[in-house]
Amino acid sequence: MKPFLDEHFLLQSSIAEELYHQYAKDLPIIDYHNHLPPDQVSGGHQFENITQAWLYGDHYKWRAMRANGVNEHYITGEASDIEKFQKWADTVPYTMRNPLYHWTHLELQRYFDVRETLHSNNAESIFHDCNEKLRDPAYNVHGLLNKMNVEIICTTDDPIDSLEFHQSYAQHPSCFKMFPAFRPDKAMSPEHPENFNQYVDRLGEVCNLEIQNFQKFLDALKARHDYFAANGCCLSDHGLSHLYAEDYTDEEIAKIFQKVRGGSHLMHDEINKFKSAMLVHFAAWDYEKGWVQQFHVGAFRNTNTWALKNLGPDTGFDSIGDYKQGEAMVRFFGNMAAREQLGKTIIYNLNPSDNELFAAMAGNFNDGEIIGKMQFGSGWWYNDQKEGMTRQINALSNIGLLSRFVGMLTDSRSFLSFPRHEYFRRLLCNIFAEDIKNGELPHDMPWIGKMIQDICYYNAKSYFPFQG
């Protein structure tokens, strides 16, 4: 029987151990998509306690606590931080076989050298031990990231963001670099006219431009796209239920924009045409600048109306959607390719039943000019766990080139989430090792070791056009 979470965790053979410890373990981390707050990065934020670092904003843990019968008072409510931590510790033993059990104990080990399994009886002592470390200046957010050998992080930022914290951090960087990513979801969401118009007005203020028509709207967004580029941005990201690729004319989009600016609700086909037009413009701008565009698709968001009203969005009530994905992807990528404006692209899938569809779709639009141009992204959200990562790796292996994959990311709001890269690397090494053991791959450790290193670090290093 193997010890729990020892140095050979997830590694089921000596070959897997060699691949991980000699080739993967010590590589730097390029976390090219996360939701870390730039102000906390720039200011070198120091958490007061582990609850703030671990439980604030973590809807993965919140969902588990609710399922365990924990009252909302101890989750997003007014309970004290030690009370919230105690309720999480009460829940942890019940998360066995959920990825939270592995993540929790990996994070306790890697950041705080806590080797115990967390439970009700030791919660208070672990809380105080971790807090004592967190009071050390070496445990500010710079120290936490440096402890994980992080080289680059890319935050997720709205077009109207000033990027002031990216600018201030760039003046006095720590050991890692921070870049913004352009996330224009609010600019292509006219289905709620009041919210959309407030956003357009704010965009106009930021750009010192009166947005009277659709062309002015595009001018303002293009100015922000240029501004992001001037501040080191080389990625965009879109969070969508699915891609949009409806036929439209410029005249139609101009009228649709005027309609929603007048406060009127749009018809379903008008919404789809507007979103389709916006995706084309964003993709064209990304291509012109040589950016990487990312599409996170498939989430069914804000499913609980009571929770949305009382707790707000992003509080743990989103789920896997069952949207039809293929047809719009074919049309959108095909249209951009026909325009000769399809750049580097990563597509992330939330519904695992669509894995093979996504892997095959990426292969449809490679052009032989750029290595790994079209990427089937890593297991995302509900899939960034052992089974989900394995399914994504296997689908990509069977249909595309795993060897050209740009690897893992955290997609997290937590500074303590970076052991997910280690989790992925261990799992990847074990998958290759099993094939070697079974005679399905040659026992060529230098070549396979290099492939492991490429997937874990070097492919991303060459794929993303980071500057500086």
Side-chain angles (χ1 to χ4, degrees):
M1 181 176 67
K2 292 183 66 173
F4 174 64
L5 217 67
D6 70 353
E7 69 271 22
H8 302 316
F9 175 59
L10 294 180
L11 307 174
Q12 298 175 0
S13 67
S14 60
I15 299 174
E17 293 168 9
E18 180 180 353
L19 285 173
Y20 176 70
H21 291 291
Q22 293 193 21
Y23 293 96
K25 178 181 178 181
D26 296 325
L27 291 169
I29 287 173
I30 295 176
D31 199 61
Y32 53 87
H33 174 72
N34 61 61
H35 298 273
L36 296 179
D39 61 332
Q40 292 186 356
V41 177
S42 178
H45 182 75
Q46 192 102 32
F47 292 106
E48 295 178 11
N49 58 58
I50 190 173
T51 301
Q52 294 180 6
W54 225 15
L55 293 171
Y56 282 26
D58 191 337
H59 52 84
Y60 289 84
K61 294 185 178 71
W62 295 351
R63 286 173 66 94
M65 293 167 77
R66 292 176 186 130
N68 199 43
V70 175
N71 187 276
E72 198 68 32
H73 174 71
Y74 300 100
I75 302 173
T76 61
E78 298 301 318
S80 67
D81 286 346
I82 191 169
E83 288 176 312
K84 290 179 178 180
F85 186 85
Q86 181 68 57
K87 290 298 184 181
W88 171 240
D90 295 344
T91 299
V92 167
Y94 295 94
T95 66
M96 287 187 178
R97 302 206 82 245
N98 184 292
L100 284 165
Y101 194 78
H102 284 165
W103 295 346
T104 293
H105 293 104
L106 272 174
E107 292 167 17
L108 285 173
Q109 280 195 18
R110 298 299 177 263
Y111 292 101
F112 304 104
D113 199 30
V114 172
R115 304 283 165 171
E116 302 173 66
T117 56
L118 180 61
H119 50 76
S120 298
N121 295 336
N122 64 6
E124 186 173 354
S125 65
I126 288 178
F127 181 78
H128 291 299
D129 287 348
C130 292
N131 294 349
E132 184 176 354
K133 288 186 171 70
L134 285 169
R135 284 191 287 271
D136 187 328
Y139 274 75
N140 70 9
V141 297
H142 295 174
L144 294 173
L145 293 175
N146 291 333
K147 187 181 287 287
M148 292 295 105
N149 197 19
V150 174
E151 181 177 293
I152 291 172
I153 58 171
C154 293
T155 59
T156 304
D157 309 277
D158 189 276
I160 65 174
D161 194 291
S162 69
L163 303 183
E164 61 182 296
F165 298 111
H166 293 83
Q167 293 166 352
S168 61
Y169 179 78
Q171 297 300 312
H172 305 284
S174 182
C175 295
F176 58 89
K177 297 176 182 177
M178 176 172 68
F179 298 101
F182 188 81
R183 175 83 171 236
D185 293 358
K186 292 179 181 179
M188 54 178 291
S189 300
E191 54 267 45
H192 303 293
E194 182 177 356
N195 293 342
F196 180 76
N197 284 321
Q198 289 175 355
Y199 182 82
V200 175
D201 291 342
R202 179 68 183 125
L203 174 66
E205 292 172 3
V206 168
C207 294
N208 194 27
L209 180 68
E210 186 174 353
I211 301 178
Q212 301 171 324
N213 53 49
F214 183 64
Q215 185 57 54
K216 292 293 185 182
F217 181 56
L218 288 182
D219 291 343
L221 287 170
K222 181 60 163 56
R224 299 309 295 171
H225 198 272
D226 294 342
Y227 178 77
F228 269 58
N231 282 275
C233 181
C234 63
L235 301 93
S236 69
D237 183 53
H238 302 270
L240 304 168
S241 57
H242 52 81
L243 290 181
Y244 296 84
E246 300 296 323
D247 292 330
Y248 63 87
T249 65
D250 293 341
E251 290 77 14
E252 283 181 304
I253 303 303
K255 290 179 181 178
I256 290 169
F257 183 80
Q258 292 304 129
K259 180 177 178 180
V260 71
R261 284 296 276 162
S264 298
H265 285 271
L266 301 179
M267 303 294 289
H268 181 70
D269 65 323
E270 293 175 319
I271 294 171
N272 288 345
K273 287 184 177 185
F274 185 85
K275 290 177 182 285
S276 300
M278 294 309 302
L279 282 182
V280 167
H281 287 292
F282 291 136
W285 299 343
D286 290 352
Y287 175 81
E288 290 169 1
K289 290 186 174 71
W291 286 12
V292 176
Q293 59 180 353
Q294 302 174 92
F295 298 96
H296 287 81
V297 299
F300 194 2
R301 299 183 185 272
N302 302 318
T303 62
N304 186 318
T305 53
W306 178 91
L308 179 62
K309 179 180 178 181
N310 291 278
L311 304 177
D314 303 321
T315 51
F317 298 92
D318 305 327
S319 69
I320 295 172
D322 58 353
Y323 302 100
K324 186 177 180 181
Q325 300 289 354
E327 184 176 348
M329 264 197 281
V330 167
R331 295 188 66 190
F332 176 70
F333 292 140
N335 289 343
M336 297 313 298
R339 293 167 175 255
E340 298 185 351
Q341 293 179 315
L342 179 60
K344 293 179 181 178
T345 302
I346 308 176
I347 48 176
Y348 303 89
N349 172 42
L350 195 57
N351 191 328
S353 65
D354 288 332
N355 277 346
E356 283 73 19
L357 184 153
F358 276 63
M361 191 66 65
N364 291 339
F365 296 98
N366 280 315
D367 56 15
E369 299 296 324
I370 299 172
I371 293 174
K373 174 181 175 177
M374 303 293 294
Q375 292 275 332
F376 173 29
S378 63
W380 168 50
W381 199 342
Y382 286 98
N383 300 314
D384 59 356
Q385 31 76 10
K386 183 180 177 182
E387 295 299 325
M389 291 181 198
T390 300
R391 286 193 295 263
Q392 187 270 344
I393 288 169
N394 286 337
L396 177 54
S397 299
N398 288 328
I399 296 176
L401 292 182
L402 178 64
S403 57
R404 297 306 192 180
F405 179 38
V406 293
M408 188 56 181
L409 55 136
T410 62
D411 190 29
S412 176
R413 293 169 173 81
S414 172
F415 289 96
L416 301 182
S417 65
F418 284 79
R420 293 184 194 179
H421 284 266
E422 174 188 338
Y423 199 86
F424 169 84
R425 291 173 180 186
R426 288 176 177 271
L427 186 63
L428 179 72
C429 290
N430 194 68
I431 289 171
F432 272 96
E434 288 301 299
D435 285 353
I436 294 171
K437 278 175 54 183
N438 295 333
E440 297 175 35
L441 289 176
H443 191 206
D444 185 346
M445 298 301 276
W447 176 250
I448 292 177
K450 178 184 180 300
M451 189 180 298
I452 292 286
Q453 291 181 321
D454 286 345
I455 296 167
C456 294
Y457 174 72
Y458 289 104
N459 286 345
K461 184 81 169 177
S462 62
Y463 185 78
F464 296 100
F466 299 121
Q467 302 295 319

